[in-house]
Amino acid sequence: TEHMFFEADRIAAFREMICSDTVEGREAALAKILPYQQGDFEKLYEALEGNPVCIRFLDPPLHEFVPTEEADIEALAKAQGKTVAEIKNIISSLHEFNPMMGHRGCRLAVTYPEIAKMQTTAVIRAAINVKKAHADWNIVPEIMIPLTGEVKELKFVKDIVVATADAEIAAAGVELKYEVGTMMEIPRACLTADEIAKEAEFFCFGTNDLTQMTFGFSRDDAGKFLEAYYDTKIYENDPFAKLDQNGVGKLMDMAVTMGKKVRPEMHCGICGEHGGDPVSVEFCHKIGLDYVSCSPFRVPVARLAAAQAAIADMK
């Protein structure tokens, strides 16, 4: 959903939210974004015509949203009633040495529950509106909470989502089923998948981040040394292009097995560039994943690989 915030009219309100000192200030800024989010989600449901829609909540670190140009900083200061120096101090405080392992994902919702409330409100209101217009469509929103590593943090955010969703459904006087699941991107989540499954109704493996955290190196920086690893045959393939079945794959297999023991009906998928690699798709089919989510240009390859894996299973 972070890509929905970057247009000029939205980014201003989101920056107001980031730079607010109070819950009330953040809620006022988020209220400006709510109609945009709801409108986007309504278009998603319309486009999918009753097929499943899984919406991942805000994931990247907040520093990615703050202005860098002097004119934008001045405009934000004016809107906030703050000095340019105060805004620059806030921007500086958001800087992280390792932002991909920093204040992002579900950690944002733990710190700022109002973000999860706003996004949940938008998802549910959109689903209710589209369902009213298309009574024959089976709309079951799937809300995905990213970067879970501990079941208690998942429960904390899920409780906010459920309370908000149930209140919206009751206020509308309708019936609407929805699911709350999580992204499995941290090795600890896979190792404790039986606990996570008590709260998560589905798993989606974010294998880009899961690969980074399992190998202990950054996808953005690994290019500096990976060529030497290919030359010396330490690695045969780029682990960010072809899923590492021995390490990352073992974590995934373990998580699926443990999760389904707790919640047999749970559906599981993979999200990331590995979802478009035929060998990786075959492995995912073998361990019991139900779907892949990948870049649009990789979809034809992924569909073909999934079909071939299913046919091979029938022999």
Side-chain angles (χ1 to χ4, degrees):
T1 48
E2 51 269 13
H3 298 287
M4 298 174 170
F5 293 111
F6 285 109
E7 289 179 27
D9 49 356
R10 305 181 188 196
I11 194 71
F14 202 78
R15 285 169 176 170
E16 283 181 38
M17 189 280 296
I18 294 170
C19 295
S20 294
D21 302 316
T22 64
V23 173
E24 292 76 18
R26 287 192 291 273
E27 287 176 339
L30 288 166
K32 297 177 184 178
I33 300 170
L34 174 58
Y36 295 121
Q37 283 264 277
Q38 183 179 331
D40 286 345
F41 295 147
E42 286 180 8
K43 288 171 188 168
L44 268 178
Y45 291 129
E46 290 279 358
L48 270 290
E49 299 181 352
N51 284 298
V53 178
C54 184
I55 294 170
R56 183 183 75 178
F57 275 8
L58 187 68
D59 188 28
L62 294 179
H63 82 269
E64 291 192 8
F65 298 96
V66 295
T68 54
E69 300 293 326
E70 198 68 26
D72 292 333
I73 293 171
E74 288 173 7
L76 181 57
K78 188 176 179 181
Q80 289 288 96
K82 290 183 167 69
T83 66
V84 168
E86 285 173 323
I87 294 296
K88 285 184 175 178
N89 284 339
I90 292 170
I91 292 170
S92 176
S93 72
L94 293 171
H95 175 76
E96 296 177 312
F97 289 105
N98 193 342
M100 284 299 99
M101 295 177 73
H103 193 188
R104 55 170 282 225
C106 63
R107 299 161 193 168
L108 290 172
V110 171
T111 315
Y112 307 118
E114 47 275 15
I115 297 177
K117 287 179 186 175
M118 182 277 289
Q119 292 202 282
T120 303
T121 301
V123 167
I124 299 300
R125 287 183 185 175
I128 290 170
N129 283 354
V130 176
K131 179 72 175 170
K132 283 177 182 174
H134 303 277
D136 56 322
W137 289 0
N138 182 32
I139 296 177
V140 180
E142 296 175 15
I143 293 172
M144 189 154 69
I145 297 167
L147 210 72
T148 294
E150 159 62 51
V151 69
K152 285 183 276 191
E153 68 183 340
L154 174 60
K155 185 179 187 313
F156 180 90
V157 181
K158 183 188 175 185
D159 285 350
I160 294 162
V161 170
V162 169
T164 305
D166 289 353
E168 287 293 330
I169 293 166
V174 298
E175 286 188 15
L176 181 74
K177 290 181 180 177
Y178 62 92
E179 294 184 356
V180 182
T182 192
M183 288 279 279
M184 303 289 276
E185 305 166 85
I186 296 177
R188 190 180 188 281
C190 297
L191 294 168
T192 61
D194 50 345
E195 294 179 13
I196 302 282
K198 291 173 185 173
E199 297 295 335
E201 293 170 275
F202 61 88
F203 288 166
C204 183
F205 293 92
T207 53
N208 294 340
D209 274 340
L210 187 58
T211 297
Q212 288 193 106
M213 297 196 192
T214 302
F215 276 89
F217 51 62
S218 162
R219 182 169 57 152
D220 298 322
D221 300 320
K224 296 172 185 173
F225 57 82
L226 279 181
E227 283 301 325
Y229 277 64
Y230 305 144
D231 293 343
T232 53
K233 304 296 183 191
I234 294 173
Y235 293 155
E236 297 292 329
N237 303 290
D238 177 357
F240 295 108
K242 197 173 293 293
L243 187 70
D244 163 47
Q245 296 182 18
N246 289 340
V248 177
K250 200 170 285 183
L251 285 170
M252 293 168 66
D253 189 12
M254 180 193 309
V256 172
T257 301
M258 291 165 67
K260 289 193 172 182
K261 279 182 182 174
V262 174
R263 198 182 289 267
E265 74 284 4
M266 152 180 287
H267 54 103
C268 302
I270 177 176
C271 173
E273 294 312 294
H274 296 115
D277 171 59
V279 175
S280 303
V281 171
E282 183 182 6
F283 173 79
C284 291
H285 177 79
K286 189 171 72 178
I287 65 170
L289 298 197
D290 304 294
Y291 69 91
V292 300
S293 172
C294 57
S295 303
F297 72 93
R298 288 174 173 259
V299 168
V301 173
R303 293 186 73 179
L304 180 61
Q308 289 171 334
I311 290 168
D313 238 10
M314 295 175 185
K315 291 178 182 176

